[in-house]
């Protein structure tokens, strides 16, 4: 049985005051919730949010990390640093990082390995653009993105990882994949892993991300291979995010 997970990606939003209010509201609301709940604040706030959430059911993660462990990498943050200030997870390969900051499949694989080496659980984001979906190459794109990491890190590394399927056309657009569209790709992802290691595939959590809201969460999370969600915009409102967390069973 896979425990569902709901992760809130705050992206570049928030302030100390807003974060304190938001995390308090989430902690209040998710007590007794079946899902594992995580929030991913901007890097400068990870330490403080982790401190505020300490001892609560809410975990904290980073939104990205450096491929390197230590050294002359001005502006970068290592996995060990995120871990040191209380993060347990980190997003790797979010489509905004791939599209805006030039993160190739190879860089994403390096980050995945760096995350685990530094003691973090990577949440590996994969997903196709609208053009790729319309060209009928969704599965090929997702397989390529997964294969780059599997080839570099090894299949066994996925026993300590989470995968998030995030169709790029659904992120921040209000256009959600239908539950059937999500299930089709989630089933493909599970099958991809099952062909390599059936037990691992059975335990692997595959989250859906892309305009998840309280109004569509239960339907999406009700699909056989959807193990929860990676939530952007709707994770910035405590009430809405809590309703999404409660929908994951
Ligand atoms: C995301 O940032 O990963 C995301 C899914 O955003 P949104 O929920 O706003 O589409």
């Amino acid at each position: 049985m896979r425990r569902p997970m709901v992760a809130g990606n705050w992206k570049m939003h928030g302030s100390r005051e807003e974060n304190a209010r938001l995390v308090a509201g989430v902690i209040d609301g998710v007590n007794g919730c079946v899902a594992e709940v995580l929030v991913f604040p901007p890097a400068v706030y990870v330490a403080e949010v982790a401190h505020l959430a300490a001892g609560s059911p809410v975990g904290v993660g980073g939104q990205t990390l450096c491929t390197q462990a230590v050294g002359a990498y001005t502006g970068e943050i290592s996995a060990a640093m995120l871990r040191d200030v209380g993060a347990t997870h980190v997003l790797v390969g979010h489509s905004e990082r791939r599209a805006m900051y030039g993160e190739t499949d190879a860089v994403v694989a390096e980050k995945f390995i760096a995350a685990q080496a530094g003691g973090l659980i990577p949440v590996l984001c994969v997903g196709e653009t609208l053009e790729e979906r319309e060209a009928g190459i969704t599965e090929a794109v997702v397989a390529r993105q997964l294969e780059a990491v599997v080839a570099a890190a090894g299949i066994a590394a996925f026993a300590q990882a989470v995968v998030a399927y995030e169709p790029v056309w659904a992120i921040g657009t209000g256009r959600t994949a239908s539950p059937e569209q999500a299930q089709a790709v989630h089933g493909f992802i599970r099958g991809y892993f099952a062909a390599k290691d059936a037990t691992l595939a059975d335990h692997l959590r595959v989250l859906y991300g892309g305009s998840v809201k309280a109004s569509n969460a239960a339907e999406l999370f009700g699909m056989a291979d959807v193990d929860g969600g990676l939530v952007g915009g709707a994770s910035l409102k405590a009430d809405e995010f809590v309703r999404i967390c409660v929908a994951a069973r």
Side-chain angles (χ1 to χ4, degrees):
M1 202 52 195
R2 297 181 295 270
R3 184 180 180 202
M5 173 185 276
V6 179
N9 174 13
W10 293 359
K11 309 196 190 201
M12 200 172 74
H13 293 286
S15 64
R16 296 181 69 195
E17 200 183 316
E18 285 166 1
N19 298 342
R21 211 176 312 122
L22 178 54
V23 78
V26 174
I27 290 168
D28 255 15
V30 300
N31 242 320
C33 188
V34 173
E36 180 177 357
V37 176
L38 290 155
V39 295
F40 292 74
V44 289
Y45 298 126
V46 168
E48 188 164 14
V49 173
H51 181 70
L52 292 168
S56 84
V58 177
V60 178
Q63 296 178 9
T64 185
L65 78 163
C66 185
T67 55
Q68 306 299 314
V70 67
Y73 302 100
T74 302
E76 292 287 342
I77 296 170
S78 72
M81 290 172 185
L82 286 167
R83 174 118 189 102
D84 192 31
V85 298
T88 53
H89 292 65
V90 65
L91 302 181
V92 174
H94 190 280
S95 67
E96 287 155 16
R97 303 289 319 170
R98 291 180 190 260
M100 292 188 249
Y101 303 100
E103 288 191 10
T104 61
D105 289 340
V107 170
V108 171
E110 281 186 67
K111 291 195 171 195
F112 182 99
I113 291 168
Q116 291 190 329
L120 297 176
I121 296 177
V123 179
L124 173 64
C125 304
V126 297
E128 81 289 0
T129 63
L130 186 57
E131 295 67 40
E132 290 165 339
R133 172 160 284 263
E134 286 173 351
I137 57 170
T138 295
E139 292 186 359
V141 169
V142 169
R144 190 204 73 223
Q145 292 170 334
L146 293 174
E147 191 57 34
V149 181
V150 171
I155 183 73
F158 280 82
Q160 292 300 325
V162 176
V163 173
Y165 168 57
E166 297 208 301
V168 178
W169 48 271
I171 298 179
T173 59
R175 187 177 164 190
T176 318
S178 69
E180 294 71 25
Q181 283 174 319
Q183 171 56 32
V185 183
H186 281 239
F188 170 76
I189 292 171
R190 198 165 314 282
Y192 168 90
F193 285 100
K196 299 176 189 298
D197 184 331
T199 307
L200 182 145
D202 207 34
H203 288 95
L204 180 69
R205 288 183 291 185
V206 184
L207 312 183
Y208 168 79
S211 299
V212 175
K213 307 182 215 53
S215 58
N216 59 25
E219 256 196 322
L220 286 160
F221 299 166
M223 304 312 282
D225 290 297
V226 179
D227 305 310
L230 177 51
V231 184
S235 72
L236 298 172
K237 295 175 222 128
D239 287 6
E240 175 93 7
F241 186 60
V242 165
R243 283 163 63 208
I244 294 169
C245 295
V246 170
R249 318 197 148 263

